[in-house]
Amino acid sequence: MVAVAPSTTPSLPEEREKKHLPPKSYADAVEEDPTPEVHANGSDEPVDQTGAKANGATPAKPQIYTASVLRDVAPDTQETASPDARGSGPDPDRQFSNEEYSATGLDETPKPPPKQKPRKSKSQKPRESQSKSGSDGSLSESNNTNGTEPSQKVEVNGTSGSKQDVKAISIDTCPGEKNGPLQRKTTSASKVPSKKNEIASGRIAGQRWKQSGIRFAPMNIPLQRRLQTLVVLFHTLCIAISVSVFFFLCAIPLFWPLLIPYMIYCLTSKASTSGALSHRQELVRRSSIWSLFASYFPMRLHRTHELPPTRKYILGYHPHGIISMGAFASFATEALGFSQLFPDITNSLLTLDSNFRIPIYRDYLLALGVSSVSKESCENLLSKGGPNNEGMGRAITIVIGGAAESLDAQPYSLRLILKRRKGFVKMAIRTGADLVPVLAFGENDIYDQFNAESHPAIHKLQMLVKKALGFTIPLFHARGVFNYDVGLMPYRRPVNIVVGKPILVTQSSKPAQEDIDRVHEEYVQELEQLWDTWKDKFAPHRKEEMLIHE
């Protein structure tokens, strides 16, 4: 709104007659403001609206301005107007409109600092709480008397805008009450009470990977440990690798002329039971790769008594474990120095006869000197060879517990199936071989598997498979190639194989049952003696004592 400066000529008829002026028309009288101007300093001099020098300089010609604030009034609300600065009340006959003047004039507040242009942000344009007109000098301010932020319209030169967020300037509409003369009130929007700053965060990304039970192997593993893992992985999967290679070759017709005779040879060969050990290769047994295999866990072979080469021996290995890793490293290879601890003894590890029906895998076993565990094979090995061709200096290693014992292979425990296993004792008496108990501390610790007591249904199914096929499949797990918690690779836990004292046996072609029971009892006692002697050294983390059942 533009305020027009009042004229200096009198408007009352009496004063105009004294000065001999013609009477004014009604239109001219309406344009004039009959009330005197109210100045902030109480003098008759006109002052600027802001009470300060514009742009730091005193204006050359003072002008009079009238400030007005437009207020929104609800249409259905009747507003009571308070006396204005001139002391005159509102006209009762006049109807108030929705937009009403709230005050005129200026107060006596201190002069504001020189006008500075606020910084303009990219996201929001600055809004001034006090706007000036560049042409006609009109000023519009927002009305805020209670410190809140009501909905107001600010009009500058006839245009409406939004109020500024930082400060709101209000003009008292009742200059005669409380605060005396007309005053300007300044409130800060930052003083409005607000709730305490709070922040809600989501879950931390990757936290479950840190809390996961799977521990992955670092990249800076030494080469020797990588090679150890590779060799153990090959031996663990050698059956699957052999079968895969064989079927791959069968898919190529070019190899059929070689594969057909080879399959016939595998079905008719007696190399695993003849006892001649014609396929045994000392170069393969003494290979350095088996040293990597044994150092993976690590394993170590211990001797308590010497074995004279003038006798023949049956070594009973306990326990079976999952895959009998200790028996393979100790008696199928020279990784642990068997020939150094027991010189002039030719030892053969025995396994299931069905393993020698698997192509390629059977040749792998025969090269290591492994033979069948059948009755024919045992008699031939202990009756042929040696200095006098009667088997002197020969030894065979039998895993007594067999596949049934593998189902009880729980870590840090030792449960043996031995009470009913007397066939090896009868074989020793018939061939005149001395019995030597062998106890492997830690063989059961390198794998985890389902407990038969907590999963009876699974155990029952495994026993049915064993009865039908002659072997069982334990549900085991351990670590992986690149992690330490999930996979089919055995754990890196120490295995100590202790060879006990030999039990002398008198040869008899038809042994009596009393002799078999007596030798069996001596064997069990010697095995218990081994456990009691070395359990504190080699099984310090055991959960229970050795248990012999069945």
Side-chain angles (χ1 to χ4, degrees):
M1 163 180 185
V2 179
V4 183
S7 176
T8 57
T9 57
S11 59
L12 297 178
E14 294 83 4
E15 293 180 359
R16 297 184 66 84
E17 289 180 0
K18 290 179 181 180
K19 292 184 179 183
H20 306 285
L21 295 175
K24 269 191 174 184
S25 64
Y26 177 78
D28 296 334
V30 170
E31 294 180 357
E32 295 182 0
D33 189 357
T35 59
E37 295 296 328
V38 179
H39 304 294
N41 53 6
S43 62
D44 296 336
E45 294 182 4
V47 296
D48 187 36
Q49 170 72 11
T50 60
K53 298 177 182 181
N55 298 328
T58 305
K61 184 177 181 181
Q63 298 180 358
I64 299 175
Y65 298 94
T66 301
S68 64
V69 178
L70 296 180
R71 298 182 299 167
D72 291 343
V73 181
D76 56 349
T77 318
Q78 185 175 0
E79 180 177 353
T80 304
S82 60
D84 55 6
R86 298 185 302 271
S88 59
D91 188 1
D93 297 332
R94 186 172 65 89
Q95 300 293 333
F96 290 93
S97 62
N98 291 341
E99 296 181 354
E100 185 68 15
Y101 293 110
S102 62
T104 56
L106 299 174
D107 56 17
E108 298 179 355
T109 56
K111 296 180 180 181
K115 182 179 179 182
Q116 297 181 357
K117 293 183 179 181
R119 291 183 177 180
K120 295 183 179 180
S121 62
K122 296 181 179 180
S123 61
Q124 183 180 3
K125 295 181 180 180
R127 293 174 292 179
E128 298 181 357
S129 60
Q130 184 176 354
S131 304
K132 290 186 179 181
S133 162
S135 59
D136 53 4
S138 64
L139 174 68
S140 298
E141 297 173 341
S142 63
N143 184 18
N144 189 351
T145 59
N146 54 3
T148 60
E149 299 180 359
S151 176
Q152 297 177 348
K153 292 182 179 179
V154 180
E155 183 175 342
V156 180
N157 295 336
T159 62
S160 61
S162 61
K163 62 180 180 179
Q164 187 176 356
D165 293 335
V166 179
K167 289 185 178 180
I169 301 175
S170 62
I171 299 177
D172 193 358
T173 57
C174 302
E177 299 179 5
K178 296 181 182 180
N179 298 329
L182 188 64
Q183 295 182 358
R184 178 184 302 162
K185 297 180 181 179
T186 305
T187 60
S188 176
S190 62
K191 294 182 180 180
V192 179
S194 61
K195 295 182 180 180
K196 185 179 179 180
N197 293 335
E198 296 181 356
I199 187 171
S201 304
R203 64 174 183 170
I204 301 176
Q207 189 70 11
R208 295 183 63 183
W209 284 93
K210 296 181 180 179
Q211 298 175 355
S212 176
I214 301 178
R215 298 167 298 166
F216 290 93
M219 298 298 296
N220 56 347
I221 295 295
L223 178 61
Q224 182 178 357
R225 293 177 67 88
R226 293 294 189 189
L227 294 176
Q228 293 171 356
T229 304
L230 180 62
V231 174
V232 175
L233 177 64
F234 169 77
H235 177 70
T236 305
L237 303 177
C238 58
I239 296 179
I241 294 174
S242 301
V243 174
S244 301
V245 172
F246 177 75
F247 281 107
F248 174 77
L249 296 176
C250 290
I252 303 175
L254 182 64
F255 291 98
W256 289 359
L258 299 177
L259 292 177
I260 294 176
Y262 176 74
M263 292 175 63
I264 297 175
Y265 167 76
C266 291
L267 295 175
T268 60
S269 175
K270 300 293 182 179
S272 61
T273 59
S274 64
L277 300 179
S278 58
H279 294 73
R280 183 185 178 111
Q281 302 292 330
E282 291 297 328
L283 182 63
V284 177
R285 287 175 56 88
R286 299 178 183 273
S287 176
S288 59
I289 64 173
W290 305 125
S291 179
L292 292 172
F293 177 89
S295 60
Y296 169 90
F297 297 94
M299 292 180 176
R300 196 165 187 181
L301 182 64
H302 306 274
R303 183 191 68 187
T304 60
H305 293 79
E306 294 183 359
L307 301 181
T310 57
R311 302 285 294 179
K312 58 184 78 169
Y313 304 95
I314 296 179
L315 282 69
Y317 185 87
H318 308 275
H320 182 280
I322 301 297
I323 312 180
S324 300
M325 293 289 191
F328 176 82
S330 301
F331 307 115
T333 70
E334 290 293 335
L336 303 182
F338 179 86
S339 61
Q340 296 176 357
L341 293 175
F342 308 100
D344 299 328
I345 300 294
T346 302
N347 184 49
S348 297
L349 179 65
L350 306 185
T351 184
L352 295 176
D353 188 67
S354 59
N355 290 330
F356 296 93
R357 300 293 180 262
I358 302 176
I360 301 177
Y361 180 64
R362 64 177 302 275
D363 300 289
Y364 167 71
L365 295 178
L366 291 174
L368 293 171
V370 181
S371 300
S372 173
V373 75
S374 64
K375 179 181 176 180
E376 179 186 1
S377 175
C378 293
E379 290 181 350
N380 291 334
L381 287 170
L382 296 175
S383 302
K384 298 179 181 180
N388 56 357
N389 201 23
E390 293 181 358
M392 294 301 175
R394 286 283 187 97
I396 60 175
T397 302
I398 303 175
V399 183
I400 304 298
E405 194 175 78
S406 64
L407 301 179
D408 293 329
Q410 297 295 329
Y412 308 109
S413 64
L414 189 59
R415 299 180 181 181
L416 305 181
I417 298 179
L418 184 58
K419 289 183 178 181
R420 298 182 182 179
R421 299 296 175 99
K422 298 181 180 180
F424 71 100
V425 177
K426 186 177 180 180
M427 178 62 65
I429 296 175
R430 291 178 59 181
T431 57
D434 296 340
L435 291 176
V436 182
V438 179
L439 194 58
F441 294 87
E443 180 70 50
N444 289 342
D445 302 343
I446 60 178
Y447 281 104
D448 291 327
Q449 71 166 323
F450 288 99
N451 192 348
E453 297 178 357
S454 58
H455 301 82
I458 296 178
H459 181 71
K460 185 177 180 180
L461 178 61
Q462 290 173 330
M463 296 304 295
L464 291 176
V465 173
K466 176 184 175 298
K467 186 177 180 179
L469 304 178
F471 64 91
T472 184
I473 303 175
L475 300 179
F476 64 93
H477 67 90
R479 55 159 291 176
V481 179
F482 301 107
N483 70 85
Y484 300 122
D485 301 286
V486 180
L488 300 180
M489 291 284 294
Y491 292 121
R492 287 181 178 266
R493 294 172 181 171
V495 180
N496 292 276
I497 300 96
V498 181
V499 181
K501 179 183 177 180
I503 300 171
L504 297 178
V505 175
T506 303
Q507 185 175 3
S508 175
S509 58
K510 292 182 180 180
Q513 187 64 36
E514 294 81 4
D515 296 336
I516 296 175
D517 295 339
R518 178 182 54 82
V519 176
H520 184 273
E521 185 177 355
E522 292 179 9
Y523 181 87
V524 172
Q525 291 177 358
E526 181 60 29
L527 191 63
E528 291 176 345
Q529 183 65 29
L530 277 178
W531 169 260
D532 295 335
T533 304
W534 304 104
K535 64 181 180 180
D536 293 333
K537 182 177 181 180
F538 297 135
H541 305 292
R542 62 188 181 276
K543 296 179 180 179
E544 59 185 20
E545 298 297 322
M546 183 178 67
L547 177 63
I548 299 177
H549 58 93
E550 294 187 14

